[in-house]
Amino acid sequence: MDRVLKIEDIDLLQGKFHILKKPRQIFPFNTHGARTVQNNFRPVVSELARLITNLKIDQKQLDDLQYEHLKGVQKISEYIGRNTDLDFMNDEVAKVNFIRFLEEFLFKSGSGDINIVHPYLYNIGDCNTKDAVVKNLSSFSKEILIGDDPELQKIFTKIEADDVLMDLIVSSLQKLLVENKKGQKARNYQDLFPHLTKLYREDLHFMMQHNEFFLENFEVLTNYYTFMYAVQGTIQFPKFTNGNYDEATPLYFVLDWESITKKRSAASPVLGYKMVKQYASQLFAHEHVLGQLSYNILNKDNDYSEVKNYRDLVEEIDSLGSKYTEQFRNDLKDWIKAYSAWAEIETPNLGDSVEDLLKMLLEQVIEGMNDKAQEKYGSSIEHIGLGTFLKQRGSLGYLFNITHDFLMMMTAVIVKDERMPLKTLLGEFEKRGMAFDRFSIIEIVTLFNTHNLLDNKSDSGDAQYVKPIL
């Protein structure tokens, strides 16, 4: 019978590098890491906003702008000062003072980071970025996390303001933003963890109902789900067909203000970040193996773009019948031989089960790939997590971390508008990848009591309810 794995079509063999032209990507990383967004996810969400609105800065207007009033300020401030509808009655001193005020109001002192006081301002943040990491992360967020969401587009294109100053600023910026005629690119990414995508959208839509809350937390929410998406891939792919791709496997976080010992769950080599760290360097190889496996008969008309996880791929092939399973097993053996020859590495003694052959293929790809490239690709997880979701804990190294602000934000979006049992809340955190041991739960209860967020319905503590925050 015909091959199930179309190894003759795998275009890897036609070149010298680990490049596959057909399959979609799984993660928005590259072999240089993601250090440029470490502790600063703002450029990503600004670029994301422009992808959502399909707007771009008319850069020529800024490039041609010559300072006339206040040299050294951001060109955006100078531009608004010139293009506002405010009548200065030919008083140039008043205009200079207004531009100086704009600079202080819109930009953090010395950093050039824009102060997001209105959602429309996301469209002008970091408008000159050409950073590949920022571009990749923003495209991933648009395709995988957000999708086509007209309600979110309305937020970022909203020009109405609550006060005269913001109305003047937004009206001026409308003249600077133009339609991006290049439009959206073809779909580049494959969603392998839709349960996380669903939860992100659920949390985001509640957040969108509260304007100030959205402005304060859109960035960190998007950062977290991007981080957890990569974390789940890192710990599920090594399980191959036994991976859980239907729900997040919770890992243990510790609270930012807690003291930690090596006996805590978060410091465990299998319950916390140490397990992610152990497998992170394999992430690049797993993505490449899954891309190779996408060249199969399930993808019709030689369109090998759709990528499936190991479990779903094998189950769908098995559902076609034993002949297809047997053929797939033989195809895997032939492909391992072909890849080993291409990579100029020794062909191993081949196993008999599909599971064993998948593991052998991964081992060959790991050996055939550049070690530093794999290490840097995996380091992207650490780069996008440092600061809020990862914290150095002395000799214990980096551990999963949750700050006070992030805990309160996530509690708000989970509880929403009606009180929720504490046990249910903790279960909802676990759905989002965060587990807490008994020591952390005691700290959370203490914090909630401090903020008057708990209703205690019995002396035993079994009936504790968390009140809505917003």
Side-chain angles (χ1 to χ4, degrees), residues 57-80:
I57 295 281
D58 183 357
Q59 194 61 43
K60 189 174 187 305
Q61 287 193 59
L62 290 184
D63 291 341
D64 292 345
L65 191 67
Q66 300 296 320
Y67 288 111
E68 292 180 357
H69 300 91
L70 195 61
K71 190 173 182 179
V73 300
Q74 300 289 325
K75 283 196 172 184
I76 292 290
S77 302
E78 177 82 10
Y79 179 89
I80 295 172

Side-chain angles (χ1 to χ4, degrees), residues 191-240:
D191 187 359
L192 293 189
F193 300 98
H195 55 279
L196 284 174
T197 302
K198 181 180 178 182
L199 287 169
Y200 170 79
R201 293 175 185 177
E202 177 185 319
D203 294 346
L204 179 63
H205 273 262
F206 175 77
M207 186 179 284
M208 286 160 57
Q209 299 172 28
H210 305 271
N211 186 57
E212 287 188 17
F213 185 67
F214 173 84
L215 290 178
E216 292 171 0
N217 296 294
F218 172 63
E219 179 180 330
V220 71
L221 183 76
T222 306
N223 192 169
Y224 174 74
Y225 273 95
T226 303
F227 173 68
M228 184 50 62
Y229 190 100
V231 165
Q232 290 298 315
T234 305
I235 63 175
Q236 300 305 338
F237 292 156
K239 301 174 185 176
F240 292 91

